Structure formats: C-alpha cells, structure tokens
Amino acid sequence: MPGLLDKQSPARRANKSDDLPLFYTDQSMGFQRGHRNTPKVSVTLAELLMSMEYDQNGRSQALDIALASNFFSSVSSYPLTSPSPFVLSFKDLTYSVKIKKMFNPLPCCGSSDGDDMEMNTKMLLNGISGEAKEGEMMAVLGASGSGKSTLIDALADRIAKESLHGSITLNGEVLESSLHKVISAYVMQDDLLFPMLTVEETLMFSAEFRLPRSLSKKKKQARVQTLIDQLGLRNAATTVIGDEGHRGVSGGERRRVSIGIDIIHDPIILFLDEPTSGLDSTSAYMVVKVLQRVAKSGSIVIMSIHQPSYRILGLLDKLLFLSRGNTVYSGSPTDLPRFFSEYGHVIPENENKTEFALDLIRELEDSPEGTKTLVDFHKQWRAKQTLNHTTRNYNVSLKDAINASISREKLVSARRAGPEILRDRSSGGETNLKSTFQTFANPFWTEILVIAKRSMLNSRRQPELFGIRLGAVLVTGTILATMFYKLDNSPRGIQERLGFFAFAMSTTFYTCAEAIPVFLQERYIFMRETAYNAYRRSSYVLAHTIISLPALVILSATFAATTFFAVGLAGGSEGFLFFFLTILAAFWAGSSFVTFLSGVVSHVMIGFTVVVAILAYFLLFSGFFIARDRIPLYWLWFHYLSLVKYPYEGVLQNEFEDPTKCFVRGIQMFDSSPLGQVPDAVKINLLKSMSGVLGFNVTAETCVTTGVDILKKQGITEMSKWSCLLITVAWGFLFRVLFYFTLLVGSKNKRR
C-alpha cells in the first residue's frame, strides 16, 4: 500500500503524540486522505504486517498505513463494528468431583452411619451461564475456591466433555475440541518460560511455531518487534527471562511475555488464569491494559482475577462473580452499584466496588444461610434484565465468521491460503469449515528444526550441565583405566576383565540418570504449547532425539578412548570401534530409558529413585553376578529385559572371541585353588600325574582355557556381538516410541 500517505501528512502529525504501539487496531478504523469523501481503509494487525516492506531509508510502509488509519489513537474510544462479530455463550455449566472421605483408623470414633469409605461429591460449578462478545473483556471474580479457575478451564476446553455438563457455543454453534484449539489460546497462572532465552528470542520462537510458513522470516520478525512494543517490553527485549539462579526480567515483564507468546498468532478467544497474580498494582494495570488492546483488536478476552484495583475495574467490560460454584453477579461494572443497592446493600460512594462486593460475599459465605439469598436474587435480577433485551439472532454462521476472520488475516496460524479460500467463497461453493484452517501452522520438519534450534540455544547458555556430565564420564573412565591398567592374560585377568566390563556398562546407564530433570523442567512448557497445537508431539520427540545424539557421541568417544587402550583390551582398531559403538548404544538405550521414565514420573526425586532401582535390577540380571543357566526360571524373563545384558555380552564377545588367544595355561590351573601357593616344581609334578590319568600330555605351557571357553562358561552362546549391538540400539528406539505414547496419553492436560 505505498503512497497512501505522504510524509508530511497532517494525520501523521496529529497522531505523533499518541502512545498505542504498532500492533492492534479496531477493524472499523480507517483514514481519509485530505478529502471528506475518500473511502476508509480498514486495517487489522495481520493486514498491517502482511504489507510490511521497507523503503531505502529503512522506514516501514506499514507505519504510514498505521498513522493514516489513526492506528496510534486510543483504541478504547472506537466501537467495534466487525461485520461478523463473535459471541461466546455458555449455559448451565455444571461440574463436580468426587472426593474420598478420609479413612478413620479408630472405628470407635467414627461416624455413626458407617459411611467412612463413601465418596463425597463437591460441586465446583453449579449452573453457570453468561456470554462474552468480541471486543470485550470479561473478568471472573471470587474468593479462593469460588470456582474461578474451574470456569476458565471449562470455557477453554480443559475439562473432559463427559464430566462437564451444559453447553458452550460460539455464534450459536457448539465448539468442537479440534476447532477450539486452533482459534483460542490459554495463558496459565504460572509463567512457564525457558529461563536462558531472551524476551525477543522467546517471542520469536513462538512466532516460528504459531505463524505459518507462508509468512516470511522478515515479517515474523517485524511482528515480534511490534508485539514487544505493544507489551511494553522494549527495554527488556535482550534480557534473559531468568530463574532462581539467573537474574532476568521482572515479574510483570515475565507475565507480559507469557501473554505475548499466546497472542502472537492473533487468536479469536484468549483465556487467562489470574494474569495479575503476584504483581504490583502498576504492573497489573499494564498487563490488563495490554489485554484491553487485544480485545479491541477483535478478540474475546476472558480472565479470572482475584481483586482488581479501581483502575483495572475501569478497563473491564463484564464481571462475573462466583461464590462456591454459584453465580452471584454477572453484568457490567456500571450496573454493580445498582444491583447491590436493590439487594439492600448500598456501595459507599468512595469505596472500590469490587472490594465491597467481595467482602460482602465473604460475609455471606460465613453466615448460616450462605449466599443462597444472593444467588436467588441474582437469578431474579437477570430475568428482569433479559426481558428488556431481544433474543440474539446470528446473521452469520460460525463457519462464515471464521472464514471472514481468516480472510481479514485475523487468525493467522489457521490460515491455509487466504486467496484460495476467498476464491472458493466467491464462486458460490460451500466451504467446509475444516478446510479453512489447519490444525498446525507449520509442517512436521519445520517444527523439528525450530524445537531443535531452541533446545540447542538454551543448552548452549548452560554449558555447565553438559560439562558436569562429561566430567563425570571422564573421571569414571580415568579411575577405571588406572584401576584396571594393562590387564594380563591369566585367571585373575579374566575375573578383572569381567568386573571391568560389568562396571563400565552399568556406569554408562547410571550416567544417563542425570538426564531425568531435562524433560521434567520442560514438562509444563511442553503441555502448554501442545495443548493449543503449537507443534506436534512427534516433532518434539524426534527433535530431542536428534539433538541428544552429538552429546552421546562425545561422551562415548571420551569413555572409550580413556579406557580401551589403558586397560589393554583386545581387537586393535576394529575392537576399539566395536567397543565405542557398544558404549554409544548403551548411552543411547540408557538415555531413551530415562527419557521414557521422565514422561511417566512427574517428580525429580521419585524419578531418580525409580531409575537407580531399575538399573540395579538390570545389573543383577545381566549375567555378571549369576550366569544365565543358573538364574531361576521364574526370573529368567527379567534377564532378557535387562538393558545391561546386551552391551555386556557384546563387549565380552569382542574381548574373548579369538579362539587362538589363551588365558589359562597348564601351570596356571592351580592359581584359583589352595594349590596356587605351592612351588612350581610341585605343580609340574601334578601336571605329569594328571597327564597319565587323562591319557594326554599336559605341560606347563599347554593352553587349557581360551576366550571361547570363557564365553561358554558365562553362558554367552545365544547371539553374536553384532546382534547384541543391534538389540541395544533397538531398545533405545523402543523407549523413544514409548516416550511418545506417554506424551500422547499423559499430556492432555484436562480435568476428569
């Protein structure tokens, strides 16, 4: 849209002092180019960014458009006149949970009715109704335990359909879960962010996930920059998020970043669970001010809030007060004094309306009758209000409304191809709703690249994590190399080799236990991002599988190089290669196993306990402590499930597979018996006597035990060393697949 407004335009100068950043605008805004009859141009945030180009001086043409359309003027002064407004309605929402009564160990002191083990039903939502319109902010208020977060979860499709009763519709049509994920976003109460990424990087990665591939990287970067200005984060753009161990942004800035990552794709509905919790009054006001701009851009904003200040109350369009799951007030903030006045409790003129209402509700809750009278009065009051309003008729269907939003570039992440959709609609053909949006904004391989890039960047800024793991492997390898330095070919050397291999293989698995916190730290970030289709779960699994391989290769090479030559293992360069591959396969299987357990267990300490215990069982049944043919039949299945068994048997075969290499000669036969202390001359005489009995000559140099004999004695006769290697690798893939299914089943993040 070049040339729409010259650089000396009075419209630009008139808007120079306004402070609304370049992101959100009312769909009804327009501009006039010096003539009263000039048609208005409607500008949405996505349309603005779609036209983002730069002239020779680096100035954005979109800035001219924004200025010409009064883009920097206060959005709150413009009414929303969208041609296809959205209305989210909910009616008679009811949700209850069953709670077990506490077990009483003293029957004599129990209740007389004897129902100690019965289930109690607790009503969290009891017939909640209301509606939220496009361009408005609805706030759900109430004391702790009133049902605020539960209602937000219900509206955000975070409660299982079979447990939630009532109806939730958008423009009169029931919202399907698949559509709900695409057109809405949910901001959790806790700020779940990567601590070592900057504000700008965090928002950019969100843009990479949520914005389609059809948008160029330049436009995505421009969108992030305008969002940073919109959120008031310009001064903190290059500051890391931070955590307990790293200094970062403030609490209010962190909260605004959490909101930013969920509005980057311009959702139609935005849910927030107590976005002002833990913030000071100024930070809280700035957060709600941002949300007001989001609403005025054409979104429905619904949030729970504990106790808004006077300034925040002035920004809200609708209030919904809850008390123990019941509605005690729903309506405009301006009607709140009249409501309580008619109820018989006049709000003092200089008192905060919401504070008065919440205090009164708490007093009623503590009274014998509770809030029943207030709930009943509200029903009567709402019935009177409903009589004064005509029934809403939706001029457009939900399908047409979403199509119109996509054509206006409102719902950017759901857009397949705007022009194709418009052509389909203009030709008179019926457009299927699901054909107008895609479940995920980007293809499979793009998600893998973005996830891998983010993880590597986050890991690179915490080098101490890999450094500690590498140091542990290096120290362990050095200790083993010095303890088992240059083992000889003797009966003692056999036992020392067996001990070295058993300890080396088990060490690789125990070292992998350090990876338990990796996913547990990202668990809730992953759940938040996948809950609304930022990326596929399979993309997450594959990306983390790929980026883990270089670290495993370095750890394996370090351990193999430190121990193989120092211990004096057999096989030369080929033997070293197989030893390295076996160590790598063991690290791979161990890392995959620990990753799978981290998807099952949600607590770090429990995870460590489970991993250490199971690895100890794997070592016990590996065949080192007791040979396979000596294991009881009822435990033999665990022998084949042992992850340590296969790499252990593989390296043993790599060491003892040479049939020409002798480990026990005639005179060494007595070393493992009490006769080992007698003089060599006595041993030689004993060998001569044995030769006469056996019928063949046994001298001091006769080879009695080869490597193959050792393998037979250990019961390692079923598989080749390459089969052991492949099975170890296969275990790793199996656990990665199981990890994917645990994410698929365990990360739905819905109440039952």
Side-chain angles (χ1 to χ4, degrees), residues 50-64:
M50 291 296 287
S51 65
M52 184 70 74
E53 297 177 1
Y54 296 88
D55 59 19
Q56 295 179 351
N57 298 323
R59 183 178 180 84
S60 169
Q61 295 176 358
L63 182 60
D64 292 333

Side-chain angles (χ1 to χ4, degrees), residues 337-447:
R338 183 164 61 91
F339 172 80
F340 280 101
S341 176
E342 294 181 11
Y343 180 64
H345 292 75
V346 179
I347 300 178
E349 200 169 310
N350 297 325
E351 188 164 346
N352 187 306
K353 304 172 187 175
T354 56
E355 288 183 4
F356 176 88
L358 291 171
D359 290 342
L360 177 61
I361 293 170
R362 289 193 191 97
E363 291 179 9
L364 293 175
E365 288 176 345
D366 295 335
S367 65
E369 294 184 2
T371 56
K372 185 178 183 304
T373 56
L374 183 58
V375 172
D376 294 338
F377 176 77
H378 170 260
K379 291 179 180 178
Q380 298 171 5
W381 192 79
R382 287 301 300 171
K384 293 178 182 178
Q385 300 296 316
T386 306
L387 292 175
N388 299 328
H389 295 83
T390 58
T391 305
R392 175 181 297 276
N393 292 318
Y394 299 98
N395 297 324
V396 292
S397 65
L398 178 59
K399 177 182 68 177
D400 291 333
I402 294 179
N403 281 337
S405 291
I406 296 174
S407 67
R408 298 196 315 270
E409 303 294 341
K410 169 63 180 169
L411 194 61
V412 182
S413 65
R415 182 172 58 89
R416 286 189 183 274
E420 286 76 3
I421 295 173
L422 291 175
R423 281 199 296 270
D424 290 342
R425 295 178 70 224
S426 62
S427 62
E430 187 72 15
T431 304
N432 186 1
L433 180 59
K434 289 189 177 181
S435 69
T436 64
F437 67 86
Q438 50 190 1
T439 305
F440 298 94
N442 291 285
F444 180 73
W445 59 269
T446 301
E447 295 173 351

Side-chain angles (χ1 to χ4, degrees), residues 732-747:
F733 281 107
L734 175 62
F735 284 120
R736 293 286 173 173
V737 173
L738 292 177
F739 176 57
Y740 166 73
F741 283 109
T742 60
L743 298 184
L744 201 62
V745 175
S747 63

Side-chain angles (χ1 to χ4, degrees), residues 112-262:
S112 58
D113 55 3
D115 60 349
D116 288 344
M117 299 305 293
E118 290 185 1
M119 304 287 286
N120 278 344
T121 300
K122 182 177 182 180
M123 188 67 66
L124 300 182
L125 297 177
N126 186 16
I128 308 298
S129 301
E131 70 173 20
K133 302 176 185 177
E134 176 183 331
E136 293 182 347
M137 279 197 301
M138 170 184 280
V140 183
L141 297 91
S144 299
S146 60
K148 301 189 301 297
S149 297
T150 304
L151 178 58
I152 297 294
D153 285 346
L155 297 176
D157 192 36
R158 290 164 61 88
I159 297 179
K161 294 291 186 183
E162 59 271 16
S163 301
L164 180 66
H165 302 285
S167 64
I168 301 174
T169 60
L170 185 63
N171 283 23
E173 299 184 26
V174 177
L175 266 178
E176 298 295 334
S177 293
S178 57
L179 178 60
H180 207 304
K181 288 183 178 182
V182 175
I183 67 173
S184 64
Y186 182 92
V187 181
M188 297 182 179
Q189 184 174 349
D190 298 321
D191 300 317
L192 305 173
L193 305 168
F194 285 94
M196 300 310 297
L197 298 181
T198 66
V199 170
E200 185 175 355
E201 290 167 346
T202 301
L203 295 174
M204 189 62 205
F205 280 120
S206 180
E208 294 283 355
F209 285 131
R210 304 308 300 261
L211 302 183
R213 194 161 48 110
S214 57
L215 278 180
S216 66
K217 188 171 183 179
K218 188 176 182 180
K219 291 179 179 178
K220 291 178 182 178
Q221 290 172 340
R223 193 178 190 114
V224 168
Q225 294 304 318
T226 50
L227 180 56
I228 288 174
D229 290 331
Q230 167 70 12
L231 297 172
L233 295 170
R234 176 56 57 193
N235 293 332
T238 57
T239 305
V240 296
I241 300 298
D243 56 11
E244 294 83 359
H246 304 86
R247 187 177 180 86
V249 298
S250 66
E253 291 168 335
R254 186 192 300 264
R255 187 60 49 83
R256 279 176 272 159
V257 174
S258 297
I259 295 172
I261 59 179
D262 282 312

Side-chain angles (χ1 to χ4, degrees), residues 33-45:
R33 190 182 179 188
H35 195 276
R36 187 171 300 172
N37 296 324
T38 302
K40 291 187 176 182
V41 179
S42 178
V43 183
T44 67
L45 66 95

Side-chain angles (χ1 to χ4, degrees), residues 574 577-579 581-582 649-650 653-654 657 719-729:
E574 292 183 1
L577 178 61
F578 183 84
F579 183 72
L581 291 176
T582 303
E649 292 186 359
Q653 293 185 67
N654 189 55
E657 66 181 349
M719 295 174 292
S720 67
K721 67 178 185 181
W722 292 105
S723 296
C724 292
L725 177 64
L726 292 176
I727 291 175
T728 306
V729 174

